[in-house]
Amino acid sequence: MSEPEIKIRMRDVTKRFGAKVILDNFNLDVRASESLVVIGGSGVGKSVMLKCILGILTPESGSITVDGIEVANAGSAEHEAVNAKVGMLFQGAALFDSMTIAENVAFSVTARKPVSAKIAREIALMKLSMVGLKRSVADLYPSELSGGMKKRAGLARAIAADPEILFFDEPTTGLDPLMGDIINDLIVHCVEQTGATALTITHDMHSARKIADRIAMIYQGKIVWIGDTAEIDSAANPLVDQFIHGRTDGPIQMAVRR
Amino acid sequence: MNPFQPIGRLAFAFLGTLGRIVVFTGLALSHIIRPPFYFRIIGRHMLEIGYYSLPVVGLTAIFAGMVIALQSFTGFARFNAEGAIANVVALSITRELAPVLTGLMVSGRIGAAIAAEIGTMRVTEQVDALTTLSTNPFKYLVAPRILAGMTMLPLLVFVADIIGILGGYIVGVYQLDFNPANYLQNTYDFISALDIVSGLVKASVFGFIVTLMGCYHGYYSKGGAQGVGQATTNAVVSASILILLFNYILTGIFFAANV
Ligand SMILES: Nc1ncnc2c1ncn2[C@@H]1O[C@H](COP(=O)(O)OP(=O)(O)OP(=O)(O)O)[C@@H](O)[C@H]1O
Ligand SMILES: [Mg+2]
């Protein structure tokens, strides 16, 4: 079998905030057209990892390439080239609160494609219905939506321009189980139908099993385990074992006092 | 402890901030002159800065004109030089009071609003979201506001000139019993194009300062609601001080040769 094509390659990436090392010689390969899910405890640096790829944060050292373009410590031209291919759902949705929901989603379309405002709105309404948001929501402002609705609107904005790379930061957090499953199906659909590459962060193991081709786990600034979704239950890694079963005793040290 | 250490640290912090402002200004200017231009957004900010500031600026100008007329009357009556009041009002309004007071009022109104809006966008990751949506924040957020500030402030100051002189006229004619025709003639005779133009140029510079400081402090705000509050305060304070500083510098440039 030939080597799978690598879409995103992170090599020896180190990111610190002050003295605190978040990513420590971090390595990760995301294959083209795969759905990779990254799991890991709260605050281990999952969101930081995505922001380094997007150029929102600059790592101190290491190399990050997207389709062969180096983005770590690159200029704005490289970031623009990469960002044009990426759709990102932020953990806090990050909707523009000066625009309505439909305008938010349409913005993502018009920023990238030469389409009229009318067509962009049609696309926006279609994407909103794909994430289960009713038409009546389209003309509300983000402040008028619930947390889960904002999340879904953010998701619609991320997929609106049919990007080839999708980053989802906790897409199902804050959703009820039924809606969560609709979103899981949507992510699977995006990857299978459009051939997009998806990198998803989640704590939700049910969701991870459903959408992932492969799962990777971050702990103390590194990937400690990566493998096919089917292998995760038989992973002979105590960190993974503790995490997916949600046990408090084990090698993962929780910084709480009892 | 070395007593010079805090001074050195302060100096470094100051130079660091200065450097960041210079880089920010350079980036902003480069995006003002390069396409694409977001005309609709520029228009919206022009309306916000130009039109909605009119009441505040008008009130400020009319009282400024009135008080100058009153004050110069008490002064000039001692020398029997009441005839110069129209002249003093026209000069001080067009050269100094209209641009400076308008600049300060707009920095409180617009500079603060810009810092709060961009600051909130920064801390809620909306600025990051813009970049991921292939939209440069300098182009989309900063450039339109600065352009609107630079073009709308001269307009506001021109209105303030007229209203300020009208304030002086009201006090002069109705309270101090000047002849209306004489008062207007005096104003018209003394005022020169340079007085008005220098005020409008100042206004454009102040519009640049106000919007730049609002954008800069908003763009670099961090740490949630408190950080945004801090950014708003810093935007207004720094813009006000810079306005007064540049007012002095520009006055020097304009009127050094011909006082
Ligand atoms: N801008 C920042 N400045 C300083 N520290 C930061 C910053 N952003 C993140 N951190 C730190 O980096 C660490 C990782 O943050 P990150 O947001 O990546 O966590 P996460 O893995 O996404 O967690 P969660 O699952 O809770 O979202 C945290 O300890 C956080 O304190
Ligand atoms: Mg996170």
CSV table of all heavy atoms in Angstrom, one decimal, chain B residues 23-25 42-43 59 84 87 90 97 104-105 108 112 120 129 162 164 177 191 193 203 215 231 241 252 256 259:
chain,number,residue,atom,x,y,z
B,23,VAL,N,4.1,50.3,14.1
B,23,VAL,CA,3.8,49.2,13.2
B,23,VAL,C,2.3,49.2,12.8
B,23,VAL,O,1.9,49.0,11.6
B,23,VAL,CB,4.3,47.9,13.8
B,23,VAL,CG1,3.8,46.7,13.0
B,23,VAL,CG2,5.8,47.9,13.9
B,24,PHE,N,1.5,49.3,13.8
B,24,PHE,CA,0.1,49.3,13.6
B,24,PHE,C,-0.4,50.4,12.7
B,24,PHE,O,-1.2,50.2,11.7
B,24,PHE,CB,-0.6,49.5,15.0
B,24,PHE,CG,-2.1,49.3,15.0
B,24,PHE,CD1,-2.6,48.1,15.2
B,24,PHE,CD2,-3.0,50.3,14.7
B,24,PHE,CE1,-4.0,47.8,15.3
B,24,PHE,CE2,-4.4,50.1,14.7
B,24,PHE,CZ,-4.9,48.9,15.0
B,25,THR,N,0.2,51.6,12.8
B,25,THR,CA,-0.2,52.7,11.9
B,25,THR,C,0.3,52.4,10.5
B,25,THR,O,-0.5,52.6,9.6
B,25,THR,CB,0.6,54.0,12.4
B,25,THR,OG1,0.3,54.2,13.8
B,25,THR,CG2,0.0,55.2,11.7
B,42,ILE,N,-17.5,51.6,5.0
B,42,ILE,CA,-16.9,53.0,5.1
B,42,ILE,C,-18.1,53.9,5.3
B,42,ILE,O,-18.1,54.8,6.1
B,42,ILE,CB,-16.1,53.4,3.9
B,42,ILE,CG1,-14.8,52.4,3.9
B,42,ILE,CG2,-15.6,54.8,4.0
B,42,ILE,CD1,-14.0,52.6,2.6
B,43,GLY,N,-19.1,53.8,4.4
B,43,GLY,CA,-20.3,54.6,4.5
B,43,GLY,C,-21.0,54.6,5.8
B,43,GLY,O,-21.4,55.6,6.4
B,59,LEU,N,-23.7,71.5,20.0
B,59,LEU,CA,-23.9,72.1,21.4
B,59,LEU,C,-22.5,72.6,21.9
B,59,LEU,O,-22.5,73.7,22.4
B,59,LEU,CB,-24.4,71.0,22.3
B,59,LEU,CG,-25.9,70.8,22.2
B,59,LEU,CD1,-26.3,69.6,23.1
B,59,LEU,CD2,-26.6,72.1,22.7
B,84,ALA,N,-13.3,94.5,18.4
B,84,ALA,CA,-12.5,93.4,18.0
B,84,ALA,C,-13.1,92.0,18.4
B,84,ALA,O,-12.6,91.0,18.1
B,84,ALA,CB,-11.1,93.5,18.7
B,87,ASN,N,-13.9,89.6,15.6
B,87,ASN,CA,-12.6,89.1,15.2
B,87,ASN,C,-12.1,88.0,16.1
B,87,ASN,O,-11.7,86.9,15.6
B,87,ASN,CB,-11.6,90.3,15.1
B,87,ASN,CG,-10.2,89.8,14.7
B,87,ASN,OD1,-10.1,88.8,14.2
B,87,ASN,ND2,-9.3,90.7,15.0
B,90,ALA,N,-14.2,84.8,15.8
B,90,ALA,CA,-13.9,84.0,14.5
B,90,ALA,C,-12.6,83.3,14.5
B,90,ALA,O,-12.5,82.2,14.2
B,90,ALA,CB,-14.0,85.0,13.3
B,97,LEU,N,-10.7,76.4,18.8
B,97,LEU,CA,-11.7,75.8,19.6
B,97,LEU,C,-12.5,74.8,18.8
B,97,LEU,O,-12.8,73.7,19.3
B,97,LEU,CB,-12.7,76.8,20.2
B,97,LEU,CG,-12.0,77.7,21.3
B,97,LEU,CD1,-12.9,78.8,21.8
B,97,LEU,CD2,-11.5,76.8,22.4
B,104,LEU,N,-11.9,66.4,20.9
B,104,LEU,CA,-12.1,65.8,22.2
B,104,LEU,C,-13.4,65.2,22.4
B,104,LEU,O,-13.5,64.1,22.9
B,104,LEU,CB,-11.8,66.9,23.3
B,104,LEU,CG,-10.4,67.4,23.3
B,104,LEU,CD1,-10.3,68.5,24.4
B,104,LEU,CD2,-9.4,66.3,23.6
B,105,MET,N,-14.5,65.8,21.9
B,105,MET,CA,-15.8,65.3,22.0
B,105,MET,C,-15.9,64.0,21.2
B,105,MET,O,-16.5,63.0,21.7
B,105,MET,CB,-16.9,66.2,21.5
B,105,MET,CG,-17.1,67.5,22.3
B,105,MET,SD,-17.2,67.2,24.1
B,105,MET,CE,-18.9,66.9,24.3
B,108,GLY,N,-14.3,61.0,22.9
B,108,GLY,CA,-15.1,60.4,23.9
B,108,GLY,C,-16.3,59.6,23.3
B,108,GLY,O,-16.6,58.5,23.8
B,112,ALA,N,-14.0,55.8,22.0
B,112,ALA,CA,-14.4,54.9,23.1
B,112,ALA,C,-15.3,53.7,22.4
B,112,ALA,O,-15.0,52.6,22.7
B,112,ALA,CB,-15.2,55.6,24.2
B,120,THR,N,-14.2,44.0,22.2
B,120,THR,CA,-15.1,42.8,22.4
B,120,THR,C,-14.9,41.8,21.4
B,120,THR,O,-14.9,40.6,21.6
B,120,THR,CB,-16.5,43.3,22.5
B,120,THR,OG1,-16.6,44.4,23.4
B,120,THR,CG2,-17.5,42.2,22.9
B,129,ALA,N,-11.8,34.9,14.0
B,129,ALA,CA,-12.7,34.3,13.1
B,129,ALA,C,-12.7,35.1,11.7
B,129,ALA,O,-12.8,34.5,10.7
B,129,ALA,CB,-14.2,34.4,13.6
B,162,ILE,N,-19.3,77.3,11.9
B,162,ILE,CA,-20.4,78.1,11.6
B,162,ILE,C,-21.2,78.3,12.9
B,162,ILE,O,-21.6,79.4,13.3
B,162,ILE,CB,-21.3,77.5,10.5
B,162,ILE,CG1,-20.5,77.5,9.2
B,162,ILE,CG2,-22.6,78.2,10.3
B,162,ILE,CD1,-21.1,76.6,8.1
B,164,GLY,N,-20.3,77.9,16.0
B,164,GLY,CA,-19.5,78.7,17.0
B,164,GLY,C,-19.6,80.2,16.8
B,164,GLY,O,-19.8,81.0,17.7
B,177,ASP,N,-25.5,94.1,22.7
B,177,ASP,CA,-26.1,95.1,21.8
B,177,ASP,C,-25.2,95.7,20.7
B,177,ASP,O,-25.1,96.9,20.5
B,177,ASP,CB,-26.5,96.3,22.7
B,177,ASP,CG,-27.7,95.9,23.6
B,177,ASP,OD1,-28.5,95.1,23.1
B,177,ASP,OD2,-27.8,96.4,24.7
B,191,ILE,N,-11.6,87.3,9.0
B,191,ILE,CA,-11.3,85.9,8.8
B,191,ILE,C,-10.7,85.6,7.5
B,191,ILE,O,-11.0,86.2,6.5
B,191,ILE,CB,-12.7,85.1,9.0
B,191,ILE,CG1,-12.4,83.7,9.5
B,191,ILE,CG2,-13.4,85.0,7.7
B,191,ILE,CD1,-13.6,83.0,10.0
B,193,ALA,N,-8.8,82.6,4.7
B,193,ALA,CA,-8.9,81.2,4.3
B,193,ALA,C,-8.0,80.3,5.1
B,193,ALA,O,-8.4,79.2,5.5
B,193,ALA,CB,-8.6,81.1,2.8
B,203,ALA,N,-8.5,69.1,11.9
B,203,ALA,CA,-9.6,68.2,12.2
B,203,ALA,C,-9.3,66.8,11.6
B,203,ALA,O,-9.6,65.8,12.2
B,203,ALA,CB,-10.9,68.7,11.6
B,215,CYS,N,-8.9,52.0,17.4
B,215,CYS,CA,-8.6,50.7,16.8
B,215,CYS,C,-7.5,50.0,17.5
B,215,CYS,O,-7.5,48.8,17.8
B,215,CYS,CB,-8.3,50.9,15.3
B,215,CYS,SG,-9.7,51.4,14.3
B,231,ALA,N,-9.2,49.1,27.7
B,231,ALA,CA,-8.9,49.6,26.3
B,231,ALA,C,-9.6,50.8,26.0
B,231,ALA,O,-9.1,51.8,25.4
B,231,ALA,CB,-9.2,48.5,25.3
B,241,ILE,N,-4.7,63.3,24.7
B,241,ILE,CA,-3.4,63.9,24.9
B,241,ILE,C,-2.7,64.1,23.5
B,241,ILE,O,-2.2,65.2,23.3
B,241,ILE,CB,-2.5,62.9,25.8
B,241,ILE,CG1,-3.1,62.9,27.2
B,241,ILE,CG2,-1.1,63.4,25.7
B,241,ILE,CD1,-2.4,61.9,28.1
B,252,GLY,N,2.0,75.4,15.3
B,252,GLY,CA,3.4,75.9,15.1
B,252,GLY,C,3.7,75.9,13.6
B,252,GLY,O,4.3,76.9,13.0
B,256,ALA,N,3.7,79.7,12.3
B,256,ALA,CA,5.1,80.2,12.7
B,256,ALA,C,5.5,81.3,11.9
B,256,ALA,O,6.0,82.3,12.4
B,256,ALA,CB,6.0,79.0,12.5
B,259,VAL,N,2.1,85.2,12.0
B,259,VAL,CA,1.3,85.2,13.2
B,259,VAL,C,0.2,86.2,13.0
B,259,VAL,O,-0.9,86.0,12.6
B,259,VAL,CB,2.1,85.6,14.5
B,259,VAL,CG1,1.2,85.3,15.7
B,259,VAL,CG2,3.4,84.8,14.5
